[in-house]
Amino acid sequence: MALLVKLKNLLIGSARITTAKENSALLLNVCMQKHLPYYETEFSEEKISIYTSMSSAKRLTNALKNEGIEYESKEWGLPLILSKYKTRWGLIAGAAIITVLLILSSNHVWDIRVSGNTSLTAAEVKAELANVGFTIGSRIGKRDVDEISNFLLIDSEKIAWISINFRGTVAYVTIREKESVLGERGEDIGTPANVVANRDGIIEYLEVMRGTPVVGERESVREGDLLISGIAENKQGEYRTERAIGKVYAVTNHSFSVKIPLEYDKKELSEPVCVKKTLKFFSNKINIFRKGGNLGASCVTIEEENSFSLPGLPALPVSVVSIIALEYKTVSARRTEGEASDLAFFELEKLISAELRDASLLRKEIRTEMTDTCFILECDVVCSENIAKTVPLG
């Protein structure tokens, strides 16, 4: 009901009339004497505001002028838009069509909002809902939410519980995810396995949760050496297999090398040109503009989507998708020593972050060299890291 009231005020036009607080009684008396209805009153420390229709606002402001009362007026709504674009009938017709479509689509889902997800993204949850036939544009009440929930729980491997509630045209989806029954690396913890070294190092300490350790602190190991055994012997001398689980921290060495050429090819982009516009309503698309001709090979495109939103209303399922084209040409360029150095250190940090994401750096030694053709950066890193790697028993 509140949504329909807001749509009505949007269609007929609304206005806010504001005056000083000492004029409150006179303002309300004028409304009563002139039989001018208003649907909301707002007070602040120094002012009073009333909200009324655009037609009533005109009569009210004329009465306030006659009384010599100063006021402020702000109008919004479809009549105001039409007055601005009264000579552009195409826009007016389009707006009228969209308005009618919005009213007719008030019994469809305009937006889906997800909560309760941790490892899953909202987009992934919406994709799973779409697989069972529930998406933006679905008709409200056509299918029971319990039916949708049951189909999703049967179909999904990651969602254990789901609740769907509607507020107007917005579907609020709350989920609980299934707890993983797999090991730290996504493996079946029941499969027998050893823990071996994934690189050379000197052992600092071990955290053994299952299995038999076969190395000790300050011991040097090579890549592939056994660290924690998955074969255990009981008191009767019998052997059994299990999955060795644990972490083994060691001091390790890493070397990185980055070369940045001074001469390089640079792409220069032209001014952006719009080549296509599409009106998107729910999942339906209508082409409203397209530039003729094929795009050249040296062209990149960017897609932009601009949604419509109105004050006090939920997100509207209407947007304009624009395809922007940019031509580019390749030119030769040369970096300065400072630019090459900055880029080399940036690339080095990317390499270190990717390879040593979970390691603690103990020492770093850097060497640089500048030649006629490139800037060379070499780095030796000593760090402390977990070198444990699980290998199934063969």
Side-chain angles (χ1 to χ4, degrees):
M1 183 62 68
L3 177 60
L4 293 177
V5 171
K6 290 178 180 178
L7 281 173
K8 174 188 172 184
N9 293 333
L10 175 67
L11 292 173
I12 66 175
S14 297
R16 182 183 65 199
I17 308 299
T18 304
T19 186
K21 203 168 186 178
E22 55 265 25
N23 299 325
S24 300
L26 184 55
L27 175 65
L28 298 177
N29 285 335
V30 170
C31 291
M32 293 177 61
Q33 293 171 4
K34 300 289 185 181
H35 303 288
L36 301 176
Y38 55 92
Y39 57 86
E40 187 177 346
T41 307
E42 189 178 89
F43 289 92
S44 63
E45 293 183 0
E46 299 179 355
K47 295 182 178 182
I48 178 177
S49 299
I50 63 170
Y51 293 80
T52 184
S53 66
M54 195 175 291
S55 58
S56 296
K58 291 179 180 178
R59 295 169 58 195
L60 177 58
T61 53
N62 288 333
L64 294 177
K65 286 179 184 177
N66 294 334
E67 296 290 340
I69 299 174
E70 295 184 357
Y71 64 90
E72 296 176 1
S73 177
K74 181 179 180 181
E75 299 178 339
W76 64 88
L78 188 59
L80 183 64
I81 297 173
L82 293 178
S83 67
K84 290 182 179 180
Y85 298 99
K86 58 185 178 182
T87 59
R88 303 181 67 177
W89 295 107
L91 289 176
I92 295 174
I97 292 171
I98 291 174
T99 302
V100 172
L101 289 175
L102 290 177
I103 295 173
L104 295 177
S105 64
S106 60
N107 60 343
H108 290 73
V109 178
W110 287 17
D111 193 14
I112 298 176
R113 301 179 186 178
V114 179
S115 62
N117 51 312
T118 53
S119 60
L120 290 173
T121 65
E124 290 172 330
V125 176
K126 292 178 182 179
E128 295 213 19
L129 286 167
N131 288 337
V132 296
F134 183 76
T135 184
I136 293 176
S138 295
R139 188 172 179 179
I140 298 172
K142 185 177 181 181
R143 294 175 63 196
D144 187 84
V145 292
D146 291 335
E147 176 191 346
I148 298 169
S149 301
N150 290 336
F151 274 111
L152 182 136
L153 294 178
I154 293 171
D155 187 65
S156 178
E157 297 180 355
K158 298 181 179 180
I159 299 176
W161 177 86
I162 183 169
S163 170
I164 304 173
N165 294 290
F166 289 100
R167 296 180 193 169
T169 58
V170 180
Y172 290 84
V173 177
T174 305
I175 69 165
R176 295 291 181 271
E177 298 175 14
K178 293 180 180 178
E179 294 184 2
S180 175
V181 296
L182 303 180
E184 186 177 345
R185 293 182 176 85
E187 301 164 318
D188 179 5
I189 62 175
T191 304
N194 290 325
V195 172
V196 302
N198 64 5
R199 65 181 308 109
D200 301 351
I202 300 174
I203 304 298
E204 288 187 295
Y205 62 94
L206 296 88
E207 295 178 356
V208 181
M209 288 162 275
R210 184 188 295 177
T212 305
V214 297
V215 293
E217 296 179 5
R218 295 184 294 278
E219 186 173 337
S220 178
V221 296
R222 304 295 298 271
E223 181 180 353
D225 285 353
L226 180 63
L227 303 177
I228 306 173
S229 175
I231 301 175
E233 182 181 3
N234 59 23
K235 294 180 179 179
Q236 289 74 35
E238 297 173 340
Y239 291 92
R240 61 180 175 83
T241 59
E242 61 184 358
R243 187 176 188 82
I245 301 175
K247 296 180 180 180
V248 181
Y249 289 87
V251 176
T252 60
N253 295 283
H254 299 259
S255 294
F256 301 93
S257 180
V258 178
K259 292 184 179 180
I260 303 298
L262 300 181
E263 300 285 346
Y264 70 103
D265 292 333
K266 180 174 68 172
K267 292 180 179 179
E268 291 185 348
L269 294 175
S270 65
E271 290 295 321
V273 177
C274 181
V275 295
K276 183 179 180 182
K277 279 185 180 290
T278 303
L279 180 65
K280 184 177 178 183
F281 181 74
F282 289 120
S283 58
N284 303 307
K285 294 182 178 180
I286 303 172
N287 292 330
I288 56 178
F289 168 77
R290 185 180 182 89
K291 185 180 179 181
N294 296 322
L295 299 177
S298 60
C299 183
V300 294
T301 59
I302 302 171
E303 183 174 304
E304 297 179 350
E305 183 170 355
N306 297 312
S307 301
F308 294 97
S309 60
L310 297 170
L313 293 176
L316 301 180
V318 182
S319 60
V320 173
V321 180
S322 303
I323 305 296
I324 308 298
L326 299 95
E327 292 282 350
Y328 68 86
K329 60 180 180 180
T330 303
V331 298
S332 297
R334 183 178 177 85
R335 297 184 178 94
T336 65
E337 181 177 352
E339 291 171 338
S341 174
D342 291 342
L343 182 56
F345 276 95
F346 174 72
E347 294 296 331
L348 174 64
E349 290 304 318
K350 286 172 56 179
L351 291 173
I352 293 176
S353 297
E355 186 168 332
L356 306 178
R357 182 181 297 108
D358 301 320
S360 299
L361 270 62
L362 304 177
R363 187 171 66 253
K364 183 164 64 174
E365 181 181 331
I366 293 177
R367 300 177 301 279
T368 62
E369 181 183 353
M370 184 71 177
T371 69
D372 293 338
T373 59
C374 64
F375 182 90
I376 303 172
L377 175 61
E378 294 182 340
C379 178
D380 295 326
V381 176
V382 179
C383 65
S384 172
E385 62 178 313
N386 177 24
I387 63 171
K389 175 184 177 182
T390 304
V391 177
L393 287 172

